[in-house]
Amino acid sequence: MLYACHTPSYPLNSYIYDLYYLEGPVSYTRLKTFPIPSLNLMVNFGHPFSVRRSDQAQPLAVCRRSWGVGVFSTYHVVDWPPSVRFFGVHFKPGGAAPFFPLPLSELHNQVVELDAIWGCFADEVRERLHDAPTIEEGFALFEQLLLARFSHMSRGWGLVQHAIEEIVNRHGDLSIRELSEQIGISQNHLKTQFKQLIGASPKEFARLSRFFHVLSSIDPMQPVDWTLIAHQSGFYDQPHFNKEFAAFTGYSPSRYLLLRRRCCAQDPQQGQSLGQMPID
């Protein structure tokens, strides 16, 4: 599997972690994908693949061309074809808003065809990226195309961005009421702005940020003290931590660790992925 990534230049780097490219046979054709507190965009040149929610047998979406992936509140399952080829965008938390001209709450727990968001420009993006002679030129072109969709945010965006930074820096372990008071706006107004510009409420965003921090703090090849992690992450007791962990992954912490260790031993590259796990 060929994987390449590219950090975009200013101003895109304020909103995007990286652009990436995947091509080749996949190691696993079915992956459980864990929720993260940000959005993703993908432009496909290979065979379609399907996405389904954790509690449904039928696909939520069959991804053929290009699509946006909203903030999910729990894990979902991706069925990959044997081989893939696509470009993608990893947005920073809140970073998708300048590129998507709709309330991002409409993408919550959804995978949406990009032409429903960008219209015919989505097909133009796909056609032009398909014709890029090299991956590096594809990244450069992708930057230009994203800049064409970039829209400067209103002054109110600064308050939301400050709230995002506070939540991320505290790993989600904070009071939303106190955060609202610190910023100087009501909780209801902050919630409305988050759903519009992030795609999730402040409380859900904080939960996802805390969960992602928990996964980031685990070294699967070392002993893990789950009680200590739960305490350091701000959970008031172990049962609450276990319940939250299972809601986001479908596994108990001990089962997750066993599977992650097995994955690391079989495929170290896949084992390093915090956001996905092969279906056992």
Side-chain angles (χ1 to χ4, degrees), residues 1 18 23 57 64 67 100 104 108 110 120-121 128 169 173 188 192 195 203 218 244:
M1 168 72 73
D18 61 54
E23 181 178 3
R64 296 182 173 85
W67 58 94
F100 289 171
L104 293 184
H108 188 256
Q110 299 292 330
C120 61
F121 186 70
R128 293 183 65 183
N169 290 339
D173 183 18
N188 284 339
T192 298
K195 287 192 171 183
K203 182 177 180 180
I218 297 169
E244 192 88 336

Side-chain angles (χ1 to χ4, degrees), residues 195-231:
K195 287 192 171 183
Q196 171 84 19
L197 301 173
I198 311 300
S201 70
K203 182 177 180 180
E204 182 178 10
F205 181 80
R207 289 178 62 215
L208 291 171
S209 297
R210 180 164 63 172
F211 166 69
F212 193 73
H213 174 66
V214 167
L215 292 189
S216 302
S217 66
I218 297 169
D219 182 347
M221 305 315 292
Q222 299 296 327
V224 175
D225 186 336
W226 291 112
T227 301
L228 178 61
I229 287 178
H231 175 72

Side-chain angles (χ1 to χ4, degrees), residues 147-169:
L147 282 171
R149 300 302 305 182
F150 179 78
S151 175
H152 289 283
M153 305 301 293
S154 65
R155 292 184 61 185
W157 169 245
L159 294 176
V160 174
Q161 191 65 29
H162 175 70
I164 292 171
E165 291 173 0
E166 285 293 306
I167 292 172
V168 171
N169 290 339

Side-chain angles (χ1 to χ4, degrees), residues 40-44 47-51 60-70 100-102 106-107 110-123 126:
N40 196 1
L41 183 156
M42 305 170 82
V43 182
N44 187 27
H47 297 292
F49 55 92
S50 64
V51 179
L60 169 67
V62 178
C63 305
R64 296 182 173 85
R65 297 178 298 174
S66 308
W67 58 94
V69 183
F100 289 171
L102 78 170
E106 294 184 15
L107 301 184
Q110 299 292 330
V111 178
V112 177
E113 289 284 350
L114 198 56
D115 57 6
I117 304 172
W118 283 355
C120 61
F121 186 70
D123 287 334
R126 186 169 180 265

Side-chain angles (χ1 to χ4, degrees), residues 8-232:
S9 55
Y10 180 85
L12 296 181
N13 62 348
S14 297
Y15 304 91
I16 293 171
Y17 283 126
D18 61 54
L19 312 179
Y20 63 97
Y21 178 81
L22 277 172
E23 181 178 3
V26 300
S27 300
Y28 304 93
T29 57
R30 176 167 290 186
L31 289 174
K32 181 179 287 188
T33 301
F34 306 134
I36 59 174
S38 58
L39 283 77
N40 196 1
L41 183 156
M42 305 170 82
V43 182
N44 187 27
F45 309 114
H47 297 292
F49 55 92
S50 64
V51 179
R52 61 181 175 85
R53 292 196 181 103
S54 59
D55 58 349
Q56 295 182 355
Q58 296 300 314
L60 169 67
V62 178
C63 305
R64 296 182 173 85
R65 297 178 298 174
S66 308
W67 58 94
V69 183
V71 174
F72 273 73
S73 57
T74 186
Y75 69 89
H76 54 281
V77 176
V78 181
D79 291 309
W80 295 93
S83 184
V84 300
R85 179 175 176 246
F86 60 85
F87 278 98
V89 181
H90 288 132
F91 290 104
K92 293 182 177 181
F99 306 91
F100 289 171
L102 78 170
L104 293 184
S105 57
E106 294 184 15
L107 301 184
H108 188 256
N109 286 331
Q110 299 292 330
V111 178
V112 177
E113 289 284 350
L114 198 56
D115 57 6
I117 304 172
W118 283 355
C120 61
F121 186 70
D123 287 334
E124 179 183 344
V125 169
R126 186 169 180 265
E127 291 168 5
R128 293 183 65 183
L129 285 178
H130 182 272
D131 294 336
T134 66
I135 298 172
E136 290 74 18
E137 290 175 89
F139 285 142
L141 175 60
F142 209 175
E143 282 200 50
Q144 296 175 21
L145 295 168
L146 287 166
L147 282 171
R149 300 302 305 182
F150 179 78
S151 175
H152 289 283
M153 305 301 293
S154 65
R155 292 184 61 185
W157 169 245
L159 294 176
V160 174
Q161 191 65 29
H162 175 70
I164 292 171
E165 291 173 0
E166 285 293 306
I167 292 172
V168 171
N169 290 339
R170 297 276 298 275
H171 310 306
D173 183 18
L174 78 175
S175 163
I176 301 302
R177 178 183 58 80
E178 293 177 0
L179 176 62
S180 301
E181 292 174 352
Q182 173 194 335
I183 296 173
I185 60 176
S186 70
Q187 283 186 255
N188 284 339
H189 183 57
L190 184 62
K191 182 178 180 179
T192 298
Q193 291 297 303
F194 259 68
K195 287 192 171 183
Q196 171 84 19
L197 301 173
I198 311 300
S201 70
K203 182 177 180 180
E204 182 178 10
F205 181 80
R207 289 178 62 215
L208 291 171
S209 297
R210 180 164 63 172
F211 166 69
F212 193 73
H213 174 66
V214 167
L215 292 189
S216 302
S217 66
I218 297 169
D219 182 347
M221 305 315 292
Q222 299 296 327
V224 175
D225 186 336
W226 291 112
T227 301
L228 178 61
I229 287 178
H231 175 72
Q232 292 176 337

